[in-house]
């Protein structure tokens, strides 16, 4: 069964460093998303991406964040200068024209 | 704006007990409604969905009915198992241009004891 794949599963980084979280969406999907879940809190929307551009972003998705689909298969989330409060589980999701989105297993980001 | 309110957790039940996790929503437009489940150490998996009023979503013995009159989508299961222990998230999506985000509730942690 097709699935969304995220790497790495766990990333530890020092405050101020750049991180790139990687996702391989399901191959025929058209809509891509990043969400995050701070430990013990709700899942929050970060950004949606369609037709090679951002279609919506939340207040959390400030200038420190960027997304890219560099080669038609990968979908990346970059955080330019990480802060302690960026520590969270980051989920990638993708969707075709149907209703439901499929999520990856997540990347746990720990900023120290 | 759109929002989802879920029953506060954690919830602890004995095996074979009846489960209800309440979920109510506020939405502009006509949302699709979802329950996602997160097993320990894993990502989010779609459990069931309903796209219009009075639809019933069902999967793995879980059911939820889209009630427009009460803006609710409560999750139920007649007889829970230890393997149902997980965090359950209610979510909605309002479609207007095709790329709309999911809005999640806070999640309800369910623990089933043998």
């Amino acid at each position: 069964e097709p699935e969304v794949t995220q790497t790495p599963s766990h990333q530890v980084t020092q405050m101020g460093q750049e991180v790139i979280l990687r996702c391989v969406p399901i191959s025929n999907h058209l809509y891509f998303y990043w969400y995050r879940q701070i430990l013990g809190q709700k899942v929050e929307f970060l950004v949606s991406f369609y037709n090679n551009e951002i279609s919506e972003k939340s207040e959390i998705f400030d200038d420190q964040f960027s997304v890219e689909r560099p080669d038609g298969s990968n979908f990346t989330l970059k955080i330019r200068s990480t802060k302690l409060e960026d520590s969270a589980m980051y989920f990638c999701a993708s969707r075709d024209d149907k209703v439901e989105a499929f999520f990856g297993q997540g990347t746990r980001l720990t900023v120290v | 704006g759109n929002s989802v309110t879920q029953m506060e957790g954690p919830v602890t039940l004995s095996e074979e007990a009846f489960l209800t996790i309440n979920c109510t929503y506020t939405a502009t437009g006509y949302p699709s409604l979802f329950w996602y489940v997160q097993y320990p150490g894993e990502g989010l998996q779609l459990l069931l969905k309903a796209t219009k009023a009075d639809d019933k979503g069902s999967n793995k013995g879980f059911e939820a009915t889209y009630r427009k009159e009460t803006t609710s989508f409560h999750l139920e299961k007649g007889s829970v198992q230890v393997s149902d222990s997980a965090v359950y998230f209610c979510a909605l999506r309002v479609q207007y241009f095709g790329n709309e985000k999911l809005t999640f509730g806070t999640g309800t942690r369910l623990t089933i004891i043998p």
Side-chain angles (χ1 to χ4, degrees), chain A residues 47-66:
Chain A
V47 65
S48 57
F49 192 87
Y50 171 71
N51 202 26
N52 287 320
E53 61 182 22
I54 290 173
S55 46
E56 187 178 358
K57 58 184 180 179
S58 71
E59 292 175 355
I60 303 166
F61 195 87
D62 61 22
D63 292 344
Q64 293 299 311
F65 291 87
S66 62

Side-chain angles (χ1 to χ4, degrees), chain B residues 14-64:
Chain B
S14 298
E15 205 166 19
E16 299 183 4
F18 184 86
L19 168 71
T20 301
I21 301 178
N22 290 337
C23 171
T24 57
Y25 67 89
T26 304
T28 53
Y30 300 98
S32 296
L33 302 174
F34 307 85
W35 278 99
Y36 280 84
V37 58
Q38 186 179 30
Y39 296 104
E42 298 188 15
L44 294 165
Q45 299 176 27
L46 178 67
L47 181 60
L48 53 84
K49 69 178 189 288
T51 58
K52 61 183 189 298
D54 300 326
D55 268 2
K56 179 186 281 188
S58 61
N59 186 25
K60 299 182 181 180
F62 290 90
E63 291 183 340

Side-chain angles (χ1 to χ4, degrees), chain B residues 66-86:
Chain B
Y66 189 140
R67 301 283 188 205
K68 189 178 172 188
E69 64 276 12
T70 54
T71 61
S72 65
F73 192 55
H74 304 322
L75 182 69
E76 296 182 334
K77 186 174 185 182
S79 177
V80 292
Q81 306 301 313
V82 172
S83 57
D84 295 327
S85 298

Side-chain angles (χ1 to χ4, degrees), chain A:
Chain A
E1 185 177 325
E3 60 181 16
V4 177
T5 306
Q6 288 186 244
T7 55
S9 55
H10 191 189
Q11 172 101 40
V12 181
T13 189
Q14 289 201 325
M15 192 168 51
Q17 294 296 304
E18 174 184 286
V19 293
I20 298 176
L21 309 183
R22 302 182 192 279
C23 170
V24 179
I26 295 173
S27 63
N28 61 339
H29 284 188
L30 303 172
Y31 306 96
F32 312 108
Y33 307 84
W34 284 100
Y35 293 80
R36 79 172 186 191
Q37 183 185 25
I38 294 172
L39 187 63
Q41 298 186 24
K42 69 162 65 177
V43 178
E44 302 172 293
F45 168 76
L46 291 178
V47 65
S48 57
F49 192 87
Y50 171 71
N51 202 26
N52 287 320
E53 61 182 22
I54 290 173
S55 46
E56 187 178 358
K57 58 184 180 179
S58 71
E59 292 175 355
I60 303 166
F61 195 87
D62 61 22
D63 292 344
Q64 293 299 311
F65 291 87
S66 62
V67 289
E68 204 174 40
R69 192 158 156 78
D71 56 10
S73 60
N74 291 287
F75 179 51
T76 61
L77 174 69
K78 182 193 289 187
I79 309 175
R80 260 178 275 283
S81 177
T82 49
K83 308 191 246 321
L84 293 176
E85 55 264 37
D86 294 327
S87 296
M89 181 75 91
Y90 287 80
F91 291 107
C92 174
S94 70
R95 185 172 67 83
D96 57 12
D97 281 340
K98 296 189 179 61
V99 173
E100 64 266 30
F102 292 86
F103 283 76
Q105 298 284 82
T107 293
R108 180 167 297 285
L109 177 65
T110 303
V111 182
V112 296

